[in-house]
Amino acid sequence: MAENVPDNEVIKEHRKKFEELTWQEQFGVSWKTPLGLFGVGLTTVSFTLLILGLFGHVAGLIENQYASIITFMVFPAGVLLGLILIPVAYYMRRKRWFRGSLASDKLILDFGNKYHRRAVSLFIVLTVVNVAVFGVFAYEAYHFTDSNYFCGTVCHTVMDNSYTVYQRSGHARVKCVECHIGSGANWYVKAKLSGLRQVWAVMTNSYHVPIATPIQDLRPARDICEECHWPEKFYGQKVKKFIEYSNTDQLNPDITELALNIGGPNPFTDEFEGIHWHVSNNVQIEYHSLNRERTLIGKIRVTDADGEERVYDYDGSDGEEEEGAHWRVMDCLDCHNLTSHLYGDLEVTVDNGIYAKKLDGEIPGIREDSMTVLTKSYEDRAKAQDGIKRHLFELQAKRNGAEFISENGTQLSAAADYLLASYMGNVWPKMKVTWGTYKAHNGHQYEDDGYGCFRCHNDSHETEDGDYIEQDCELCHDYPD
């Protein structure tokens, strides 16, 4: 009986039979199970499609972002899974989990046997080929996931508004990852792990609408912004022009010019002054945010270069912290919170349109009607494209009559084109993004909502000895010569 044969005799008999097989048969006996066949099939199909996808990508035949995801992420994963399943199937067969399992408990390789040598040589060649191919794909996948195309178009519905306003910003030639991740493997890994959570939120439709700001757990701005912007080398003034019309006077704007004291090191005194004093190396400012939006500031702690600390308390807070309240070191993003994603202001957009002759100020009521058109609620952006021009003409016909529309159709069409472009660049109904959804802190345009400089400069943050943070226009502004 076979069970009475010593184990070493069984092994010898198995080795003899195994050596009689061709190398193809020797390789095949390792995975001839449903699981092994599935692994081989998955690897073969995925590898073939992967090569075709790479060719299509390099040749410019693939432009769809989802096809790129499949090429650089799904197909490689399929190849790896298949390669893993083959030895797993072999192992399971050797453990006699399938009928016809191998008799030996050990893998027998005899390099004196030419069939064994061929099998091992084939394994080495295939391994080198796989490593080389996957090296290329890992490199391409790394660059693909770091591209603006990937960041802005993969989750199109969620990221469309951010990507659109980014493309018209002063950082449009700066890659998304250079600001959101920066250099170094540590933050790259953190960002990609965070990205998996965000992908899950998109897949399960559990993301916040609109996307809540400020984004939590970003890399400190000084690690990012100061790679290009060096506060110690910025100084001087910037002249700002503010143009305002009214519904009663569309021809004579109220124009205000102010010099903004950007500051930096004074080249004559070497003292750090102006707005950029807040982020100089001579001082560290920390504040206690009482809400997630950082529009309500509690205590403020200022530490100078000598280590002297001053704490300004705020009597206006009730002492109860909302969710997300925390101490934060002030950096660039506390003022430039929308630096690469700056949305337009409704009145500024209309007034600039009149000033630039995109909207004809001679048309009665064009300012008021333009704001009415831009704030009308549309179901989606496609409906807005169809409805904005029609709505403007309806308002003007009601205001000025059909004959006026006939005589001024060209000017009204040009106005409608400008309003449509403004709407499409600032409003996304599905994401609940409209005029004023995202407000900027650099300045005090939205001071009534708690945004801007007056969060701290409100004459209400005071130390125990009576020193307080002033709300003085001359700290930041003066009139240009």
Side-chain angles (χ1 to χ4, degrees):
M1 300 293 292
E3 58 269 18
N4 295 325
V5 179
D7 288 344
N8 59 337
E9 294 297 329
V10 172
I11 293 173
K12 289 180 180 179
E13 181 64 23
H14 169 74
R15 178 183 297 174
K16 181 179 179 181
K17 292 180 178 179
F18 195 70
E19 289 175 349
E20 293 174 354
L21 300 175
T22 65
W23 69 266
Q24 294 95 331
E25 292 172 327
Q26 293 172 23
F27 180 70
V29 80
S30 301
W31 51 265
K32 279 187 177 178
T33 64
L35 182 63
L37 290 171
F38 176 76
V40 171
L42 179 62
T43 298
T44 304
V45 172
S46 298
F47 189 84
T48 302
L49 294 175
L50 185 149
I51 296 297
L52 293 175
L54 179 61
F55 173 78
H57 182 78
V58 172
L61 301 176
I62 296 179
E63 296 182 355
N64 183 278
Q65 64 270 22
Y66 300 105
S68 299
I69 290 176
I70 293 174
T71 299
F72 290 110
M73 303 177 75
V74 176
F75 290 157
V79 174
L80 284 175
L81 178 60
L83 291 175
I84 292 172
L85 289 178
I86 294 173
V88 168
Y90 172 76
Y91 174 80
M92 295 171 69
R93 186 169 186 182
R94 293 194 66 83
K95 289 297 184 181
R96 304 184 184 184
W97 292 357
F98 297 106
R99 175 181 295 181
S101 299
L102 300 179
S104 174
D105 291 331
K106 296 181 177 62
L107 176 65
I108 301 171
L109 289 176
D110 184 358
F111 287 98
N113 186 306
K114 64 179 180 180
Y115 299 115
H116 286 211
R117 291 196 303 273
R118 289 177 182 176
V120 171
S121 299
L122 176 63
F123 174 79
I124 293 174
V125 169
L126 290 176
T127 299
V128 171
V129 171
N130 283 329
V131 169
V133 170
F134 272 95
V136 172
F137 267 87
Y139 179 79
E140 290 294 330
Y142 168 80
H143 283 282
F144 173 65
T145 58
D146 267 12
S147 66
N148 294 346
Y149 179 75
F150 176 83
C151 296
T153 63
V154 170
C155 299
H156 179 72
T157 300
V158 181
M159 294 303 299
D160 187 34
N161 55 303
S162 295
Y163 189 52
T164 298
V165 296
Y166 152 76
Q167 289 177 301
R168 66 171 183 242
S169 75
H171 289 90
R173 292 189 176 184
V174 180
K175 294 177 64 177
C176 303
V177 294
E178 291 183 30
C179 289
H180 285 271
I181 299 177
S183 59
N186 185 31
W187 278 95
Y188 176 83
V189 173
K190 287 182 179 180
K192 297 310 175 185
L193 292 176
S194 176
L196 293 176
R197 174 180 55 80
Q198 294 164 7
V199 169
W200 176 254
V202 172
M203 293 176 61
T204 58
N205 200 32
S206 59
Y207 53 89
H208 193 279
V209 177
I211 300 300
T213 58
I215 305 299
Q216 302 297 308
D217 301 321
L218 283 177
R219 188 171 184 176
R222 286 189 170 183
D223 291 353
I224 302 293
C225 303
E226 294 186 18
E227 289 289 317
C228 300
H229 305 286
W230 192 0
E232 280 70 17
K233 296 301 179 183
F234 278 85
Y235 60 87
Q237 294 182 332
K238 178 180 180 180
V239 177
K240 299 276 290 184
K241 178 185 287 188
F242 301 91
I243 302 167
E244 294 180 87
Y245 290 89
S246 67
N247 291 340
T248 57
D249 188 351
Q250 300 177 161
L251 299 176
N252 302 297
D254 182 9
I255 299 178
T256 303
E257 289 189 351
L258 288 174
L260 188 65
N261 296 322
I262 296 174
N266 188 309
F268 302 105
T269 66
D270 205 31
E271 293 291 328
F272 217 103
E273 57 188 31
I275 297 170
H276 280 164
W277 167 84
H278 294 83
V279 291
S280 71
N281 289 332
N282 296 327
V283 66
Q284 176 174 280
I285 301 176
E286 302 166 274
Y287 66 88
H288 194 220
S289 174
L290 299 179
N291 61 359
R292 189 192 185 283
E293 292 78 18
R294 302 172 189 163
T295 56
L296 182 60
I297 307 300
K299 292 182 178 181
I300 299 173
R301 184 163 55 222
V302 180
T303 306
D304 62 23
D306 298 326
E308 183 180 348
E309 183 179 290
R310 287 170 292 155
V311 177
Y312 297 82
D313 207 349
Y314 176 49
D315 293 334
S317 64
D318 56 11
E320 294 184 5
E321 300 178 6
E322 298 182 17
E323 182 180 356
H326 63 285
W327 278 97
R328 172 177 167 82
V329 177
M330 186 176 184
D331 63 22
C332 310
L333 293 182
D334 288 296
C335 292
H336 301 283
N337 60 314
L338 300 178
T339 183
S340 295
H341 304 282
L342 190 60
Y343 293 79
D345 175 83
L346 176 63
E347 291 198 36
V348 172
T349 298
V350 173
D351 287 346
N352 285 347
I354 297 175
Y355 190 75
K357 308 301 182 183
K358 302 290 186 181
L359 302 173
D360 189 349
E362 298 280 356
I363 299 176
I366 190 64
R367 184 177 188 273
E368 183 178 359
D369 289 348
S370 294
M371 287 193 285
T372 301
V373 167
L374 290 177
T375 53
K376 180 178 173 59
S377 178
Y378 294 97
E379 183 179 346
D380 54 42
R381 287 160 61 83
K383 295 282 178 43
Q385 287 182 305
D386 296 334
I388 282 180
K389 182 176 182 178
R390 182 176 66 253
H391 190 207
L392 177 64
F393 274 67
E394 289 173 354
L395 291 172
Q396 280 289 302
K398 184 177 180 181
R399 181 188 295 272
N400 299 316
E403 184 178 348
F404 180 88
I405 298 297
S406 177
E407 294 174 352
N408 296 274
T410 302
Q411 295 93 317
L412 287 172
S413 293
D417 291 340
Y418 174 76
L419 295 178
L420 176 59
S422 300
Y423 181 96
M424 298 300 287
N426 292 281
V427 181
W428 284 262
K430 287 187 177 180
M431 289 301 297
K432 297 182 180 180
V433 174
T434 187
W435 304 97
T437 298
Y438 297 112
K439 301 179 177 68
H441 282 304
N442 55 333
H444 39 81
Q445 185 175 7
Y446 305 107
E447 60 180 277
D448 292 340
D449 298 319
Y451 287 82
C453 309
F454 294 162
R455 293 176 294 165
C456 300
H457 289 270
N458 52 16
D459 291 340
S460 298
H461 286 87
E462 188 174 352
T463 64
E464 292 182 351
D465 58 5
D467 186 24
Y468 63 95
I469 301 177
E470 295 179 281
Q471 189 181 95
D472 186 351
C473 298
E474 293 183 0
L475 288 174
C476 298
H477 300 289
D478 59 32
Y479 290 94
D481 296 331

